[in-house]
Amino acid sequence: MQVVPWQRNSSGQPDSPSAANWDLVPRFFGEELPHPTNGTNMGSSSSLAVFAREANGQELAAADGADADAQANGYQQMSDYLDLLHSRKRAQQKSLRDPGRSVAIVTTASLPWMTGTAVNPLLRAAYLANNEDRQVTLLLPWLSKPDQERVFPNSVTFDSPADQEAFVREWAQKRTGLACSFKVRFYPGRYAPEKGSILPVGDITQYIPDAEADVAVLEEPEHLNWYHHGRRWTDKFAHVVGVMHTNYLDYARREERGAIKEALLRHINAWVCRIYCHKVIKLSDAVQPLPRQETMFVHGVSPNFLRVGQEKAAAAAEGQHTWGKGAYFLGKVLWAKGYTELLQRLQEHSSATGQHVPVDVYGAGPDLQEVQQEAASRRLNLQFNGPRDHADASLQDYKVFINPSLSDVVATTTAEALAMGKFVVCAEHPSNKFFAQFPNCLVYRTPEEFSRCLQHAMQHEPQPLSPEQLRKLTWEDATERFLQVAELKQTPPLHEQLLDSFLAAAHQSLTSMEGLRVIAGAGANTRDSPASVTDYMPSESDIGGLFDDHSRAKQTYSRTKAAKAAAPQAQQQQQQQQQQQQQVVLARGGSAASVAAAVAAAAEEEAAAAAATAGGRAARQQ
């Protein structure tokens, strides 16, 4: 304000800002500032438009030569910036329910990887786009072919973003029954095996056009911004909401040097959420305290889970036997995903009661072999069945879902099991607070209570949910909760905005240093965006930073190499099988035509099996 001549008097010298122009300042910074009281000239300009004309108008025409051009350019930039601030201020004061708003949902994973940050943001996009007055864009990570092979189950890969978009849209339409009219865009990403997650490459804000930059929903804002170097989200978007999905602090404390990792990560998470979000929504208080936070469960379940629950309730009302199977657990096979607690609780139950309750486990992951070995060493009655979609028909007859995890923020699988009418046995924990209101949710606090809850569930029938209880689990209700809690109630005071700007500049400075990025685990050559989304190619020499689990990355890369090495051998075995089939047919007196028919039938059978694996897409990890 000191360097900008707000208006000029007849002598050409700048005066103090007019009282009317001074009144503009609170529009941008959200609080009253003292008026100038030095008795200087107080002009009559009363709006930003008038100020912009004064700054760029006739008083500049009197200047000479290059100085006039430079000064005019400076004034134009100042005018444009103030116009931008003014429009942002108006946009922040609007409700998210107002027609015409554009919402960009940015997430850290995509189908066919069936993880929570792939499924829930997709469903949020589908239900937000169900309002024709709202434009919704879903921004997903694009992975190179090698990374797709490491991440996506059942050898499913895509040759182009368009192919993956068609897959994602088809899945969402089948799961929701909605038109799913949202746009899909991609940003370049890399799978970081040492972290077991996908990291952005370059400045991903550029993949949303400025004309559509209104509201941004950052699914896992800390994850998206740990290494972000580029445009500040709150500079580009009028309204930025972060949704916290994952308890990364719990993951960190379980690893080697966990206390140091947890303390460091706690501060980094708070740092990036503060500078890149106007509002942070925690699904539960299992997540660390964060600036400008509110806690609300803003996820729902798909209609097909609710239909299963309604069908089970109707069958029970008619006296039919509805539950043919016992207990199960479903989740990615990582110790931190609840497997530590699952094995411990079941062992305690067996020791206390002498009962070895059979539990079917569905999932795949890097810790599968270790979990199987540990379960065997404890003589637990666990059957490991590989990954399966929770909506698969083979899982609908289980009566009891056991989820003892203490690392979840909110377990989507728990919500889905309740919607299907099952019992859920879970720990008293902030992540389960929302579910405790349902009668079929059996909450335990001690190993003894776990045993009582499990025995009760195995011996009794679940209670059918009321229409009100079912409604609370729907995505329609979750969308309403999201729109309500995501509203901005007040603008941060000026001193907080100034501190945020300083912290943002510090973060940008640190993330600009290539050496520091590599040490911190961002990966080499990931600061700048590639020329095209599909251009980025990962390197197997990237095994993480100073605090990462390098052995996990090396194991992932070695498994990929082993699979590629085994591919020619598998093809050779297939050819040998075909030759054996030909010899059998010829030995039985078959003709060349019958040989060809047998080979074609075998090939058709193999193709059908491959299609069922890759196209059925039901046997994927939740």
Side-chain angles (χ1 to χ4, degrees):
M1 287 188 294
Q2 292 175 353
V3 300
V4 177
W6 289 64
Q7 66 182 78
R8 292 173 180 269
N9 56 26
S10 57
S11 66
Q13 298 300 318
D15 285 329
S16 299
S18 69
N21 282 328
W22 190 266
D23 286 334
L24 291 173
V25 175
R27 298 186 193 176
F28 307 135
F29 298 109
E31 62 178 31
E32 292 293 335
L33 298 179
H35 283 60
T37 57
N38 58 3
T40 54
N41 176 36
M42 309 296 275
S44 60
S45 300
S46 59
S47 72
L48 180 61
V50 173
F51 161 62
R53 286 198 298 273
E54 289 179 351
N56 297 281
Q58 66 270 18
E59 57 275 336
L60 292 179
D64 296 323
D67 289 342
D69 292 339
Q71 194 174 21
N73 183 55
Y75 277 120
Q76 184 61 51
Q77 291 180 12
M78 175 63 74
S79 174
D80 292 344
Y81 183 65
L82 292 178
D83 284 341
L84 176 64
L85 290 178
H86 195 45
S87 64
R88 292 270 166 78
K89 184 67 179 179
R90 290 197 304 268
Q92 288 178 1
Q93 292 171 345
K94 292 171 59 181
S95 170
L96 292 183
R97 302 176 188 272
D98 290 343
R101 308 236 38 186
S102 296
V103 181
I105 299 176
V106 190
T107 189
T108 58
S110 176
L111 300 181
W113 194 15
M114 292 290 288
T115 188
T117 51
V119 174
N120 290 308
L122 171 59
L123 296 178
R124 193 186 323 282
Y127 282 89
L128 283 174
N130 201 34
N131 186 329
E132 297 179 356
D133 293 329
R134 188 182 296 121
Q135 178 180 310
V136 178
T137 301
L138 180 63
L139 189 59
L140 301 172
W142 168 259
L143 297 178
S144 64
K145 266 294 180 63
D147 274 349
Q148 291 184 40
E149 293 169 354
R150 297 181 185 109
V151 174
F152 299 157
N154 301 325
S155 302
V156 178
T157 60
F158 305 96
D159 294 325
S160 69
D163 292 340
Q164 188 170 1
E165 176 185 349
F167 175 88
V168 168
R169 196 177 297 279
E170 179 185 5
W171 185 93
Q173 289 171 340
K174 289 181 178 179
R175 185 60 67 97
T176 65
L178 302 177
C180 296
S181 57
F182 53 85
K183 299 178 183 178
V184 176
R185 290 194 173 96
F186 289 86
Y187 66 85
R190 61 175 286 264
Y191 178 63
E194 72 281 356
K195 299 178 180 66
S197 58
I198 297 171
L199 298 176
V201 175
D203 177 13
I204 63 176
T205 66
Q206 64 181 305
Y207 297 99
I208 297 294
D210 286 355
E212 300 175 13
D214 180 17
V215 180
V217 181
L218 306 184
E219 311 277 355
E220 292 200 315
E222 78 284 42
H223 185 150
L224 287 168
N225 290 299
W226 284 329
Y227 310 110
H228 175 68
H229 181 76
R231 197 166 176 184
R232 188 177 170 189
W233 292 95
T234 51
D235 283 343
K236 177 162 183 169
F237 291 85
H239 191 148
V240 183
V241 180
V243 181
M244 306 294 290
H245 287 250
T246 307
N247 189 354
Y248 285 110
L249 298 187
D250 185 84
Y251 289 1
R253 74 170 64 99
R254 292 170 183 260
E255 297 183 356
E256 187 179 357
R257 294 176 291 179
I260 299 175
K261 292 182 183 180
E262 180 186 2
L264 183 62
L265 190 59
R266 180 185 301 275
H267 291 292
I268 293 175
N269 287 348
W271 182 7
V272 296
C273 288
R274 171 173 185 154
I275 63 180
Y276 294 121
C277 297
H278 293 118
K279 185 73 167 287
V280 175
I281 300 173
K282 302 194 308 183
L283 298 178
S284 78
D285 286 329
V287 178
Q288 69 181 85
L290 292 164
R292 301 167 197 138
Q293 68 175 30
E294 285 200 47
T295 301
M296 180 69 71
F297 180 57
V298 293
H299 289 172
V301 301
S302 301
N304 50 350
F305 293 106
L306 297 167
R307 283 194 293 269
V308 172
Q310 292 169 340
E311 292 170 358
K312 292 291 186 182
E318 295 176 359
Q320 300 179 17
H321 181 66
T322 55
W323 308 103
K325 300 179 181 180
Y328 74 109
F329 177 66
L330 183 147
K332 185 177 181 180
V333 186
L334 287 171
W335 284 112
K337 283 287 189 180
Y339 286 89
T340 301
E341 293 82 8
L342 177 68
L343 269 57
Q344 185 65 28
R345 297 290 87 78
L346 290 176
Q347 183 178 28
E348 292 166 347
H349 177 75
S350 299
S351 299
T353 65
Q355 300 173 352
H356 296 275
V357 177
V359 178
D360 290 340
V361 177
Y362 293 90
D367 295 337
L368 175 60
Q369 186 174 0
E370 292 182 14
V371 173
Q372 288 176 322
Q373 292 173 350
E374 184 64 22
S377 68
R378 299 188 186 195
R379 298 182 180 180
L380 299 176
N381 193 0
L382 268 61
Q383 176 69 40
F384 292 85
N385 301 287
R388 197 76 56 88
D389 191 306
H390 206 182
D392 192 86
S394 63
L395 301 182
Q396 294 177 8
D397 288 342
Y398 284 98
K399 184 173 68 168
V400 183
F401 178 64
I402 303 174
N403 188 7
S405 174
L406 300 178
S407 66
D408 287 320
V409 177
V410 166
T412 303
T413 49
T414 295
E416 292 167 348
L418 288 172
M420 288 189 282
K422 305 174 186 292
F423 278 123
V424 171
V425 178
C426 61
E428 184 180 54
H429 188 258
S431 62
N432 296 318
K433 183 177 179 180
F434 178 83
F435 305 126
Q437 63 183 300
F438 296 93
N440 294 333
C441 184
L442 308 179
V443 180
Y444 66 87
R445 299 163 188 80
T446 64
E448 294 76 19
E449 288 187 0
F450 172 83
S451 292
R452 288 197 293 270
C453 289
L454 183 58
Q455 289 175 329
H456 175 86
M458 299 298 291
Q459 297 170 3
H460 295 80
E461 295 296 306
Q463 177 181 331
L465 298 183
S466 68
E468 176 65 18
Q469 291 166 342
L470 288 172
R471 184 187 62 78
K472 291 180 180 179
L473 293 170
T474 65
W475 264 104
E476 287 85 356
D477 204 61
T479 302
E480 285 299 311
R481 295 195 299 267
F482 171 79
L483 292 172
Q484 176 184 353
V485 74
E487 297 284 5
L488 298 181
K489 294 182 173 59
Q490 61 183 7
T491 304
L494 176 59
H495 69 276
E496 283 196 20
Q497 296 186 54
L498 294 175
L499 180 58
D500 290 351
S501 297
F502 172 79
L503 293 173
H507 186 257
Q508 289 291 301
S509 177
L510 292 173
T511 56
S512 68
M513 305 176 190
E514 178 66 13
L516 183 58
R517 292 178 63 87
V518 173
I519 292 174
N525 302 316
T526 60
R527 187 192 69 177
D528 301 321
S529 301
S532 173
V533 170
T534 58
D535 283 351
Y536 179 78
M537 185 62 61
S539 170
E540 293 190 2
S541 62
D542 256 337
I543 58 174
L546 183 63
F547 292 101
D548 289 318
D549 186 351
H550 299 170
S551 62
R552 183 184 297 169
K554 293 176 181 178
Q555 290 173 3
T556 300
Y557 292 138
S558 64
R559 283 196 297 267
T560 304
K561 291 179 181 178
K564 289 182 178 180
Q569 183 178 359
Q571 185 176 5
Q572 184 178 2
Q573 290 177 349
Q574 181 180 355
Q575 293 175 350
Q576 292 175 351
Q577 290 175 355
Q578 290 179 352
Q579 291 175 357
Q580 291 173 356
Q581 289 174 348
Q582 294 176 8
Q583 293 173 358
V584 170
V585 173
L586 291 174
R588 293 177 179 176
S591 63
S594 61
V595 170
V599 172
E604 183 177 353
E605 183 177 348
E606 291 173 0
T613 301
R617 315 187 196 280
R620 286 190 297 273
Q621 177 67 20
Q622 179 69 28

